[in-house]
Amino acid sequence: MSNTFLGMPSLPVFGTGNLFEREPFPEFAHRELQDGQLRANLGHATRTIRQKRLSVVAELPDWEALRSAGSAIKESVMARLPELLEEFEANFTARGGTIHWARDGNEANEIVSSLIKATGETEVVKVKSMATQEIGLNEFLDEQGISAFETDLAELIVQLDHDKPSHILVPAIHKNRTQVRDIFLREMEDVDPELSNKPAELAAAARGHLRRKFLSAKVAVSGANFALADTGTLAVVESEGNGRMCLTLPETLITVMGIEKLLPSWQDLEVFMQLLPRSSTGERMNPYTSLWTGVAENDGPQNVHLVLMDNGRSAALADLHGRSALHCIRCSACVNVCPVYERTGGHAYGSTYPGPIGAILSPLLTGITAEENNSLPYASSLCGACYDACPVKINIPEILVHLRGEDVDSKRGTAKIPTQIDIGMKAASWALSSGKNLGLVEKTLPLGRLVAGSDKKITQLPGIAAGWTQSRDLPAPPKKSFRQWWNKEHQPPQKDADNPKPGQGADS
Amino acid sequence: MSAREEVLGRIRSALRDAPEAPQVPRDYRTTSARNEEELIEQLVERLEDYKATAHVLTLEQVPAHLAKLLAGQGRYAVPQGLNAAFFADLDTDDEDGARRIVDGVPSWLTAEQLDAVDAVVTGSAVAIAETGTIILNAGADQGRRIITLVPDRHICLIKSKDIVGILPEALPRLDAALPQTWISGPSATSDIELERVEGVHGPRTLDVVIVRP
């Protein structure tokens, strides 16, 4: 109600694009878990990257200080977002760049498409970008008769295989070298039929495949890792040089960036360019970082655009308990340490953003009630490994719990018949409201022992509790409850020990 | 309402609780205690870790060493502002004198022309020892971004006085208004099974020549 004063738009306005679960996470995950090859590929890759990250992080004596600085910088970006966006816009524009604002993914797609059409080109080269994956830009351009060529090796693999990315940093992490070789042999024209599965040879094949494209491309589309408000500078962090090719050779460069990617000052790069490479690829520094401020005379694209996109970010910002998810710098350290991700892979999350960060970011951008995104906050054991690994200290487990609460609240009172959870919660509320009630419940323990039988295991619980026993047994309950045992062991000292007062032992 | 106004309005609505921007604790290292010899040693070690080749020379040794590095190679590109004296030994060796192609007024090289050269030789703005990073900042001896991108080999000169220990020491030496390329080793990828392999789209060979006075 008070959101509408001063003509302010009412919130939340949620995002569009590839941010949705089309089926609940548990169902998708259950299917993915049958794939032994997938689990082997993911296990191998995430183990490798975890080791690398740990060793380069251990080299820095001030890692925790950098994390604290990174977290505080991002928190201040969110607090000052409108003024910082305006400052960035003024500086970027002053140096010859053009800024476009997009309320959502559809509008961003329209803007990019019309900018490309204005050049008369029908082909663009692309640098790997989460923002353009999020809004489904390639598919949109395809409908408009524009072919977008992914140039990052992993994106290329995914695009050639007509597959979907499954990881923030390494979208083809679910494929091993032999599978990549087979995709290249099947989909790449003029590839050497003797191509082996050695990563170096596969990388060389990608180089050969894309070389002509780079040298003749007139338009490139990129994302951005950082935007520095006080200088109007954009940064792209990469490894292969495909980013440099796209950012340097074409005449027109169109960058799509979420509004949360800002940093207040040039100096802040000293924090984030230490945090990001070590957290993502486990390197002291990534091979290439490109920085540009508007247009540079005679150097690189002379027609430079930036699309600043909301697409649900303002909605996430409006969630006081969830807004810190916007601090994310897309390093994927949380993905690589997550025991759930390691087993299910990224496709089970449905959204462009998989893993722990995806489980909070996707529902924050779309709203918890959108499609099946309410299942995402449950895709976690709340072990907290993601929080420890996060370079900007996003408390992912806390936000997961908050979103579970949102999910439950959103369903409250909507069902006519109480659900099993409603009944269970009511029963628990009664049982736990007094010692007397709990004592009554504890009296049913022998019943559980009876069900467990001689092997002392309960192998199948009824109703929704069956989920618990689906992959493990429940041990038989003990003969007596803790409280019963305590009362027996801790009889109050009495002078006349031979004549205990009846009823004083057990609290019932 | 324009998209700009609407997006900014939504953000202001989202910040209805008027959160305060926290003080940023900058308790991380901002200087390193290494002397010049230690910096050179660390830079060399880190570059070699990336499979780059490092050469430590005095100024007088540069022309002969460049001649050696470029022996057997075809044409090579240089930015207009790079000290021509570095190529003294090459000029005497050069039979046709056409091996060296200069990028600058009046002839800016195209991507196709650069694709046909074997190497590029440039200077650099600053190097960071701890991370093995060389930074180009569009200086006259560094040239346009394209010239260090398309050729398959980059020979990069760095003066020993331009080596700093850690990233926070490098940033104040750079001009954010001009394009920058931070280079840490030859192009590489970890996209297949997260195993790093060198040599994708950028230069596949990186030689760093560290020059003492």
Side-chain angles (χ1 to χ4, degrees):
Chain A
M1 49 160 196
S2 62
N3 282 343
T4 50
F5 73 97
L6 294 176
M8 280 192 183
S10 32
L11 288 175
V13 184
F14 292 116
T16 58
N18 298 325
L19 289 168
F20 301 91
E21 278 281 79
R22 305 291 174 193
E23 68 179 304
F25 179 88
E27 286 167 29
F28 205 134
H30 203 255
R31 224 168 34 245
E32 295 290 84
L33 286 170
Q34 320 286 320
D35 186 343
Q37 183 67 62
L38 175 74
R39 281 220 308 285
N41 294 355
L42 287 170
H44 171 68
T46 53
R47 259 195 313 280
T48 309
I49 192 70
R50 284 199 297 267
Q51 271 315 315
K52 283 205 233 175
R53 189 190 81 87
L54 281 177
S55 71
V56 294
V57 163
E59 277 181 9
L60 292 191
D62 54 349
W63 182 252
E64 289 306 317
L66 286 165
R67 285 179 79 208
S68 299
S71 173
I73 291 168
K74 274 297 188 181
E75 195 182 332
S76 73
V77 168
M78 297 313 147
R80 299 172 51 208
L81 196 52
E83 62 170 293
L84 290 175
L85 283 167
E86 285 173 322
E87 184 186 355
F88 176 84
E89 180 184 39
N91 287 323
F92 189 76
T93 310
R95 304 205 67 95
T98 309
I99 301 238
H100 311 261
W101 296 74
R103 299 170 181 88
D104 59 22
N106 297 331
E107 191 168 18
N109 283 335
E110 293 283 359
I111 293 168
V112 175
S113 154
S114 64
L115 287 172
I116 297 169
K117 284 178 185 161
T119 67
E121 293 295 316
T122 54
E123 285 191 359
V124 297
V125 285
K126 278 192 71 204
V127 197
K128 178 176 149 29
S129 136
M130 294 309 292
T132 60
Q133 281 287 357
E134 172 187 324
I135 61 178
L137 178 66
N138 292 5
E139 296 74 20
F140 183 87
L141 292 180
D142 193 45
E143 288 164 18
Q144 309 282 311
I146 298 166
S147 309
F149 295 93
E150 292 292 350
T151 62
D152 168 77
L153 178 53
E155 289 280 6
L156 174 70
I157 294 165
V158 168
Q159 192 176 40
L160 286 174
D161 198 32
H162 315 287
D163 195 3
K164 283 172 72 182
S166 71
H167 189 273
I168 292 172
L169 177 73
V170 194
I173 195 170
H174 55 292
K175 301 284 184 198
N176 66 23
R177 58 187 72 190
T178 305
Q179 293 169 311
V180 173
R181 196 248 341 250
D182 295 345
I183 293 165
F184 280 12
L185 286 177
R186 196 178 68 230
E187 301 286 339
M188 260 186 198
E189 291 159 23
D190 60 36
V191 71
D192 175 7
E194 302 297 308
L195 186 69
S196 83
N197 67 358
K198 290 200 184 90
E201 269 190 49
L202 297 168
R207 178 184 167 101
H209 178 71
L210 288 171
R211 191 82 183 164
R212 286 291 111 201
K213 279 267 178 290
F214 284 134
L215 296 183
S216 60
K218 297 277 182 276
V219 183
V221 176
S222 84
N225 291 91
F226 305 110
L228 311 172
D230 67 344
T231 58
T233 305
L234 289 172
V236 162
V237 175
E238 52 129 357
S239 296
E240 297 168 14
N242 65 308
R244 291 178 69 191
M245 290 279 179
C246 292
L247 302 170
T248 310
L249 299 185
E251 293 160 5
T252 299
L253 171 61
I254 305 162
T255 303
V256 181
M257 186 183 85
I259 50 174
E260 84 285 15
K261 288 286 184 114
L262 277 186
L263 296 178
S265 77
W266 167 250
Q267 194 201 352
D268 296 323
L269 273 186
E270 72 187 20
V271 175
F272 288 90
M273 283 307 294
Q274 294 196 71
L275 290 173
L276 179 57
R278 289 179 200 255
S279 298
S280 58
T281 48
E283 293 169 301
R284 295 185 182 109
M285 193 66 92
N286 52 292
Y288 299 132
T289 299
S290 296
L291 297 125
W292 71 101
T293 306
V295 177
E297 196 187 345
N298 238 331
D299 186 350
Q302 299 297 297
N303 188 12
V304 175
H305 297 268
L306 173 67
V307 182
L308 279 172
M309 179 173 76
D310 179 356
N311 203 35
R313 284 154 179 80
S314 58
L317 189 65
D319 184 327
L320 302 192
H321 304 286
R323 64 166 54 138
S324 64
L326 295 175
H327 298 183
C328 174
I329 56 172
R330 312 282 190 267
C331 71
S332 72
C334 65
V335 179
N336 298 330
V337 299
C338 179
V340 175
Y341 175 88
E342 185 179 343
R343 284 157 184 84
T344 65
H347 290 156
Y349 295 80
S351 158
T352 296
Y353 302 104
I357 187 65
I360 58 173
L361 196 55
S362 308
L364 281 165
L365 294 174
T366 63
I368 192 77
T369 53
E371 304 219 9
E372 299 293 346
N373 276 6
N374 61 350
S375 70
L376 288 174
Y378 300 93
S380 168
S381 64
L382 302 179
C383 76
C386 48
Y387 182 25
D388 291 341
C390 178
V392 291
K393 293 192 183 176
I394 301 170
N395 192 334
I396 295 175
E398 198 175 278
I399 300 177
L400 285 166
V401 172
H402 158 66
L403 290 172
R404 290 179 188 185
E406 294 270 289
D407 172 47
V408 172
D409 285 346
S410 75
K411 290 173 186 151
R412 207 183 292 283
T414 55
K416 291 206 174 78
I417 307 162
T419 65
Q420 291 183 47
I421 287 193
D422 292 338
I423 295 164
M425 286 295 170
K426 276 248 156 62
S429 162
W430 175 83
L432 296 171
S433 62
S434 83
K436 199 173 167 193
N437 292 358
L438 189 60
L440 281 172
V441 174
E442 285 166 356
K443 290 215 158 145
T444 64
L445 287 181
L447 190 66
R449 290 180 70 79
L450 198 66
V451 172
S454 59
D455 63 353
K456 301 205 169 58
K457 281 182 193 135
I458 298 172
T459 52
Q460 200 179 354
L461 286 171
I464 53 162
W468 174 264
T469 46
Q470 190 182 314
S471 49
R472 45 181 144 23
D473 294 332
L474 188 69
K479 279 183 189 142
K480 52 179 157 281
S481 75
F482 174 77
R483 283 143 41 96
Q484 289 163 345
W485 171 85
W486 179 270
N487 282 331
K488 187 156 183 276
E489 293 294 308
H490 297 82
Q491 298 270 351
Q494 286 165 14
K495 282 183 186 150
D496 191 359
D498 294 336
N499 290 314
K501 280 183 192 165
Q504 211 164 32
D507 172 29
S508 56
Chain B
M1 206 188 307
S2 73
R4 180 182 188 279
E5 282 171 58
E6 189 163 339
V7 171
L8 286 171
R10 285 181 193 172
I11 299 168
R12 291 197 177 98
S13 292
L15 296 171
R16 66 203 175 284
D17 58 317
E20 217 171 292
Q23 269 291 315
V24 175
R26 297 192 189 263
D27 303 328
Y28 49 84
R29 296 168 301 153
T30 51
T31 54
S32 62
R34 289 169 192 268
N35 64 34
E36 192 170 294
E37 282 315 301
E38 290 168 332
L39 290 175
I40 291 175
E41 193 185 326
Q42 189 180 38
L43 180 61
V44 168
E45 181 207 313
R46 298 289 147 98
L47 285 166
E48 286 173 349
D49 196 36
Y50 293 137
K51 311 263 165 58
T53 314
H55 317 260
V56 184
L57 307 172
T58 60
L59 191 57
E60 298 85 68
Q61 293 173 313
V62 171
H65 200 80
L66 280 180
K68 208 168 84 186
L69 285 176
L70 289 165
Q73 303 252 276
R75 287 181 295 174
Y76 59 94
V78 297
Q80 206 163 32
L82 189 65
N83 186 355
F86 287 149
F87 304 100
D89 286 24
L90 280 153
D91 286 333
T92 54
D93 285 348
D94 253 354
E95 280 168 16
D96 55 12
R99 275 178 70 201
R100 186 161 79 248
I101 306 177
V102 178
D103 181 62
V105 186
S107 62
W108 302 102
L109 300 177
T110 64
E112 295 293 338
Q113 286 172 306
L114 285 161
D115 197 33
V117 307
D118 286 342
V120 58
V121 185
T122 71
S124 57
V126 60
I128 305 162
E130 185 176 76
T131 59
T133 305
I134 309 284
I135 300 182
L136 308 182
N137 196 186
D141 65 341
Q142 297 143 44
R144 301 183 301 143
R145 285 173 287 174
I146 190 173
I147 67 168
T148 51
L149 172 62
V150 178
D152 205 12
R153 183 179 187 189
H154 182 190
I155 300 173
C156 188
L157 302 151
I158 177 83
K159 299 186 192 92
S160 57
K161 71 170 176 63
D162 290 334
I163 305 173
V164 299
I166 57 177
L167 177 60
E169 295 171 304
L171 293 181
R173 296 182 178 218
L174 297 167
D175 182 354
L178 297 173
Q180 285 175 31
T181 308
W182 300 14
I183 298 170
S184 305
S187 73
T189 182
S190 305
D191 278 357
I192 299 168
E193 297 180 15
L194 284 163
E195 199 172 280
R196 182 175 159 126
V197 293
E198 283 74 20
V200 201
H201 305 294
R204 287 183 283 192
T205 309
L206 175 67
D207 292 277
V208 177
V209 179
I210 298 166
V211 186
R212 289 193 174 117

